[in-house]
């Protein structure tokens, strides 16, 4: 396989692993998989509690009315709280509910269990190669995000979806 084909395959594998883990973890938790856009908003609010709806739209690269729809749906589902900013009542501030935080933790536990089971089924050399690739994949993620590559051991920057 050429280098270009290998890189193309890497992109396909990462995407398929992500989708399969999301669906499998949700099935294990006996939950419906949330749409990716809702997950992205929840993860942003987790990282930036109190973020405004307008800022969330900018950070997600989407229209404010799209974020308004996501906020409405997540609020109805009991996963997001929205409050008016006391200094400017036109601004909506977003926060995760306890239910959302619990769902994120539960999803991460199921995802870890799935990965642990799958890795244990690999031969030791393959398992070692996958685990040894984690720091390089972390650096690749940082590059794709446009951030400088961290020095030393990577922090726990793993993305957790629900």
């Amino acid at each position: 396989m050429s280098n270009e084909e290998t890189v193309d395959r890497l992109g396909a594998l990462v995407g398929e692993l992500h989708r399969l883990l999301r669906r499998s973890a949700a099935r294990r938790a006996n939950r419906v998989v949330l749409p990716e856009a809702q997950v992205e908003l929840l993860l942003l609010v987790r990282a930036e509690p109190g973020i405004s709806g307008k800022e969330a739209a900018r950070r997600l690269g989407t229209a404010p009315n799209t974020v308004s729809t996501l906020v409405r749906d997540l609020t109805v589902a009991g996963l997001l709280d929205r409050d008016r900013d006391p200094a400017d009542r036109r601004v909506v501030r977003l926060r995760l509910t306890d239910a959302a935080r619990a769902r994120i933790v539960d999803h991460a536990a199921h995802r870890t269990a799935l990965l642990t089971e799958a890795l244990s089924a690999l031969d030791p050399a393959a398992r070692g190669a996958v685990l040894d690739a984690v720091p390089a994949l972390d650096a690749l993620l940082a590059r794709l995000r446009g951030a400088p590559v961290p020095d030393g051991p990577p922090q726990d920057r793993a993305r957790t979806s629900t």
Side-chain angles (χ1 to χ4, degrees), residues 1 5 8-9 11 26 33 37-38 44 49 58 65 72-73 80 88 94 103 114-115 123 133 136 147 149 155:
M1 203 180 311
E5 291 169 324
D8 185 53
R9 182 69 184 135
V33 178
Q38 288 183 358
L44 176 60
R58 188 189 71 72
N65 65 328
R72 182 196 67 223
D73 293 347
L80 203 58
D88 183 348
L94 307 174
R103 184 178 175 127
L114 285 163
L115 283 168
D123 68 71
V149 175
Q155 301 299 310

Side-chain angles (χ1 to χ4, degrees), residues 104-143:
I104 290 169
V105 168
D106 187 53
H107 178 84
H110 285 290
R111 185 185 64 207
T112 298
L114 285 163
L115 283 168
T116 300
E117 291 166 15
L119 285 165
S120 70
L122 296 177
D123 68 71
R127 182 173 46 253
V130 171
L131 294 174
D132 289 346
V134 171
L137 290 169
D138 204 25
L140 177 62
L141 178 60
R143 288 272 187 228

